[in-house]
Amino acid sequence: MTTEATEPTADASRTSGSASKLIKVVVLAALVSVIGVAYFNYGDDLSLAGLAEKEAALQSWQQDNPVLAYGAAWLVYVVVTGLSLPGAVPLTLVFGWFFGFWKALLIVSFGSTAGATVAFLLSRYLLQETVQSKFSERLESVNKAFRREGAYYLFSLRLIPAVPFFVINVVMGLTPISVTTFWWVSQCGMLPGTCVFVYAGTQVPDLQTLADQGWQSILSWPLVAAFVLLGLFPIVVKKLMAKFGRTPEALQNKEEPGRDT
């Protein structure tokens, strides 16, 4: 009787698991398809050269529809950063030029955090098996560090760009950290870098010049000083963390002594 009762339960569990995997695959495939079609159709329009061609039209539209412009800019930034699409840095520069420092800072800061949270949630609910298989060794180290340090661990990773933005998002999605904690810690940790890049955007004379001449068109002593400070800031933070034995090494791609390469 026990065996007969257990077998249907096991079959139901396997069926439920298979259905759950199928739903995840379908949702992920639909998401990738939508992203692919959108990027294929509108990717060039969001490039620096594409935006430069529409410079006058964009400024006129923003003056006529300020609230809509802010919302659209935020949504575009969320999509680009949340799906790890190329173009986040050029968009930051464009927003700094287009909206001015403080307005652009709000859009980019909250947009990048929202995008990071989107990637975090996709990892937690849709990409869990893929991420675990790819980052299994690092994930174990991350979980140990997270249990030991808590939210401070994520904050230190945000301050010290030891690993790519998207890797932090997807790997942290498999830790016990709550969405709320992930949001506010990321918001604070990414703010220094956001300030510098938005400020760089405010130095852009016009988009066509930036597209044609690149960084040379916006270089100035205040901007150089800001980037120097941004470069020194992680070094200072890392030294302070190392002094207290709290440097986040779990996600860094370092070889262990005696380990085969």
Side-chain angles (χ1 to χ4, degrees):
M1 292 294 292
T2 303
T3 303
E4 293 178 355
T6 303
E7 288 180 354
T9 303
D11 290 340
S13 178
R14 284 194 294 269
T15 301
S16 176
S18 299
S20 177
K21 289 181 180 179
L22 180 60
I23 292 173
K24 289 181 179 180
V25 170
V26 171
V27 171
L28 187 59
L31 184 61
V32 171
S33 299
V34 171
I35 295 168
V37 171
Y39 191 74
F40 179 80
N41 290 327
Y42 303 105
D44 291 339
D45 293 333
L46 295 177
S47 67
L48 194 55
L51 291 171
E53 293 177 357
K54 303 175 179 64
E55 183 172 336
L58 287 171
Q59 288 179 321
S60 177
W61 181 73
Q62 191 268 338
Q63 291 174 357
D64 295 336
N65 308 276
V67 176
L68 184 60
Y70 300 145
W74 179 83
L75 183 60
V76 168
Y77 209 92
V78 171
V79 172
V80 169
T81 55
L83 303 176
S84 302
L85 300 176
V89 171
L91 273 180
T92 304
L93 297 176
V94 170
F95 287 177
W97 163 81
F98 194 64
F99 296 107
F101 181 79
W102 292 109
K103 292 176 182 177
L105 180 62
L106 288 174
I107 293 171
V108 173
S109 181
F110 284 94
S112 61
T113 306
T117 306
V118 169
F120 171 88
L121 293 173
L122 287 175
S123 172
R124 176 164 288 184
Y125 297 109
L126 290 181
L127 304 174
Q128 186 172 14
E129 294 182 1
T130 302
V131 175
Q132 283 181 330
S133 63
K134 190 171 184 179
F135 298 103
S136 57
E137 295 182 3
R138 293 184 183 182
L139 185 58
E140 183 178 354
S141 300
V142 170
N143 281 323
K144 289 180 180 178
F146 183 79
R147 285 192 294 268
R148 183 176 65 251
E149 304 289 350
Y152 181 87
Y153 181 69
L154 173 60
F155 184 69
S156 61
L157 284 174
R158 291 301 191 195
L159 287 177
I160 302 175
V163 288
F165 176 83
F166 79 94
V167 173
I168 297 175
N169 299 333
V170 297
V171 173
M172 292 304 296
L174 304 183
T175 67
I177 190 171
S178 68
V179 177
T180 303
T181 301
F182 178 84
W183 177 289
W184 75 259
V185 171
S186 297
Q187 188 85 51
C188 296
M190 293 188 293
L191 187 59
T194 300
C195 289
V196 172
F197 280 98
V198 170
Y199 174 73
T202 64
Q203 305 304 300
V204 173
D206 56 76
L207 293 186
Q208 192 60 57
T209 301
L210 181 61
D212 293 339
Q213 301 180 15
W215 286 98
Q216 295 178 355
S217 64
I218 61 175
L219 283 179
S220 62
W221 284 113
L223 182 59
V224 171
F227 275 108
V228 169
L229 289 175
L230 180 62
L232 291 175
F233 185 68
I235 297 175
V236 173
V237 172
K238 189 171 184 178
K239 287 185 178 296
L240 290 174
M241 291 178 180
K243 182 177 180 180
F244 294 100
R246 305 185 77 171
T247 303
E249 305 289 348
L251 286 181
Q252 298 185 40
N253 190 20
K254 292 188 175 182
E255 295 178 5
E256 298 176 1
R259 182 177 177 178
D260 295 334
T261 56

